[in-house]
Amino acid sequence: MKLTILGFMGGYPANGVGTSSYLLESAGFRLLIDAGSGSVLALEKHIDPLDLDAVILTHYHADHIADVGVLQHVFLLKNAPNVKEVPIYGHTESIWHTVRESKSSKAIDYSGQEAIEIGPFHVEFLKTIHPVVCYALAITERETEKKFVFSADSGYMEQFIPFAKDADVFLADTNFFKEQQKSSVHMTSEEVGEIAEKAGVKKLILTHLPPNEDWQRLLSEAKEATPNVKVMLAENDMKIII
Ligand SMILES: [Zn+2]
Ligand SMILES: [Zn+2]
């Protein structure tokens, strides 16, 4: 499967980079994971947004759903008068879950308790520590059994270690520096490094990066915490074959 980074800024867009959004492709199936600010423009550089097969939302903070509305407009208007309907997966533990419903989208609920199948992907969930209900995703490509884990937004939780066990790629919320420990909102460089090391992941990608901060310091702090794992910073338009 192929992962493309469409936006990695934490909280708000800055310096031409949008907020959380990732494209995951396998066997011609295209899944958009979160639709942060700027994601439709970023997506257009890679595929026609109309060719998306599904969208999944981890939670309903603005930096993860800002472009849901304009994506629905693409599906409504771009091929008018034909309206294409895109399924948008999300949980219902927020009044904002109705953002998934429109003339050109269909809300599909996940409970977070049971795994679901989306096209070629087997998707498991882990409720995170965050000011609003949010789910991390462990996505396995059924054909190859390759595993991609996305922490979504979360403070540190030990449960990430079994959840991310042996993942080929762990994409982790690294909004904070080493000294900013024990947050109930986001993780630090050191915390995501420790999880990666204990879970034995093959590659750790730092995302949800704080705008206008020293990301090289985040990178070196994470590397220090996980000497055995390849660590990289998210970059826009970066493609990773998993
Ligand atoms: Zn966020
Ligand atoms: Zn959030």
Side-chain angles (χ1 to χ4, degrees), residues 59 61 63-64 130-132 134 153 186 208:
H59 66 304
H61 270 155
D63 55 326
H64 298 252
H130 204 52
V132 299
C134 175
D153 283 10
H186 299 292
H208 210 284

